[in-house]
Amino acid sequence: VQAKNNREGLAEARRLLLSSDLSSTVVIGMETEKEEKWQGSEKIKYMFSFPKCTVSSACLNLLKIVDSSLSSSSPSPSSYKTAGIMLDMFRSIYPSHFKEKLQTIPSLAMIYHNDCLLLGHQISSLSSRCPEAAYPLACQLILLREAGEESYVRALSSQSDHIKEMIIEMKGIGDSHNISRKTLLDKILHRIFLQLNNVISAWRVLPKRLHITTMGLLFQDLLNHLLQELEMLEAIAEEESHVLHTWLGGVSSSIEDRFRHYLPSLSPSDLPRYVPLW
């Protein structure tokens, strides 16, 4: 009977993962910005909570199937092995079956990251039902975290490459006092901020702290590229130095405005926490 239930559970999990629509999502978790106000048992509750973020409905449905396979008072080793295989299927099927979408839709890569974190977070409680038999399931914890991190890093690197490509289009930031050059620089910078605004908005699916940190990494990358271009200038005329000062000052103001949009209480002294080059 147990073997039959395990086979049916694996088949159900596979059908779910192959037929899922990644655009179907749910917001779950606990608000982390209130943690400073929590005391005693509330603080302990926060420490073991999952942060508020967006996950796929498929991930939650898979958790239900995994939980069902371990629903007996004393799950057997084969049940834990089956649950581990289900999570392994999640790691293998999603990245390949939805490869194109994960690469082209910014929010989906981060939702997959959140899914991996949630599944890893739940493993500890699922394993506690029968610790001596839970090794196959516990092994998935590190693998899921690695898969989530890989998805996050790949998405971040992709946006970093886009920024670099647009900076290259500038062909340096010299002769910025020339009207036509200044117009070109302004146009490309506008495209960069438009791209970053869209991505940052799409990545609000991440836990809030990670979202703000990620935004800081993107702007850090932008500033790093611009400073490299500035350092490559061999000589800067007085007129050009004034233009560059104003232009780069506008970049700084735009970055600060973006942070204030997501963190209204942010003070200028807080920005170096997120953008070290500030």
Side-chain angles (χ1 to χ4, degrees):
V1 176
Q2 185 63 59
K4 180 174 181 289
N5 291 338
N6 290 342
R7 288 196 300 271
E8 290 177 349
L10 287 172
E12 185 181 2
R14 187 175 185 277
R15 283 195 299 271
L16 168 70
L17 294 174
L18 288 175
S19 62
S20 299
D21 181 358
L22 285 176
S23 62
S24 176
T25 59
V26 180
V27 177
I28 65 166
M30 189 174 291
E31 293 278 6
T32 56
E33 59 266 27
K34 299 177 181 178
E35 66 173 283
E36 290 80 4
K37 301 178 182 178
W38 295 344
Q39 301 294 329
S41 61
E42 284 284 322
K43 193 74 172 180
I44 295 174
K45 180 181 178 182
Y46 162 75
M47 290 171 61
F48 295 97
S49 68
F50 191 73
K52 183 178 180 181
C53 64
T54 301
V55 298
S56 69
S57 298
C59 175
L60 295 180
N61 290 332
L62 178 63
L63 271 176
K64 291 178 182 177
I65 298 174
V66 171
D67 185 69
S68 177
S69 70
L70 302 172
S71 58
S72 66
S73 57
S74 181
S76 66
S78 65
S79 296
Y80 273 110
K81 183 177 180 180
T82 299
I85 293 174
M86 290 177 185
L87 296 179
D88 201 40
M89 288 167 57
F90 173 84
R91 290 189 304 103
S92 59
I93 290 177
Y94 257 32
S96 57
H97 191 61
F98 297 104
K99 182 177 180 180
E100 185 176 349
K101 287 186 176 181
L102 288 170
Q103 291 177 344
T104 56
I105 304 176
S107 62
L108 294 188
M110 295 310 189
I111 289 173
Y112 177 73
H113 162 271
N114 294 346
D115 285 353
C116 289
L117 291 190
L118 176 61
L119 292 173
H121 181 79
Q122 293 300 315
I123 281 177
S124 57
S125 61
L126 292 172
S127 300
S128 65
R129 297 179 185 178
C130 187
E132 63 273 15
Y135 180 75
L137 187 60
C139 287
Q140 291 293 326
L141 176 58
I142 295 176
L143 296 175
L144 283 165
R145 287 179 174 174
E146 289 177 346
E149 182 178 354
E150 182 180 341
S151 182
Y152 173 86
V153 171
R154 188 186 300 114
L156 191 61
S157 297
S158 175
Q159 295 307 317
S160 178
D161 290 342
H162 286 323
I163 294 174
K164 185 176 181 179
E165 289 170 3
M166 286 187 275
I167 293 291
I168 290 174
E169 287 183 40
M170 290 182 174
K171 297 180 179 180
I173 58 176
D175 297 325
S176 57
H177 57 299
N178 181 291
I179 295 178
S180 60
R181 280 286 298 153
K182 176 68 163 49
T183 301
L184 174 64
L185 295 179
D186 286 342
K187 284 183 177 179
I188 294 177
L189 189 64
H190 176 74
R191 283 171 49 205
I192 290 174
F193 272 106
L194 186 61
Q195 169 74 12
L196 291 178
N197 285 343
N198 291 337
V199 170
I200 289 168
S201 178
W203 286 354
R204 292 186 75 177
V205 297
L206 290 168
K208 185 170 184 179
R209 284 187 175 181
L210 182 56
H211 176 246
I212 299 300
T213 299
T214 305
M215 181 166 60
L217 292 173
L218 289 173
F219 286 130
Q220 170 83 357
D221 197 45
L222 171 60
L223 289 179
N224 187 50
H225 285 305
L226 292 178
L227 288 176
Q228 287 178 357
E229 294 294 334
L230 185 63
E231 291 171 352
M232 290 175 64
L233 297 177
E234 296 181 356
I236 305 176
E238 181 179 356
E239 180 184 357
E240 185 177 10
S241 68
H242 291 307
V243 173
L244 285 173
H245 179 270
T246 302
W247 189 71
L248 292 172
V251 173
S252 298
S253 296
S254 296
I255 292 175
E256 187 172 347
D257 288 343
R258 268 63 175 187
F259 271 99
R260 289 190 182 281
H261 176 73
Y262 294 104
L263 283 177
S265 61
L266 182 79
S267 67
S269 61
D270 291 330
L271 277 168
R273 291 172 52 193
Y274 305 104
V275 188
L277 277 175
W278 194 260

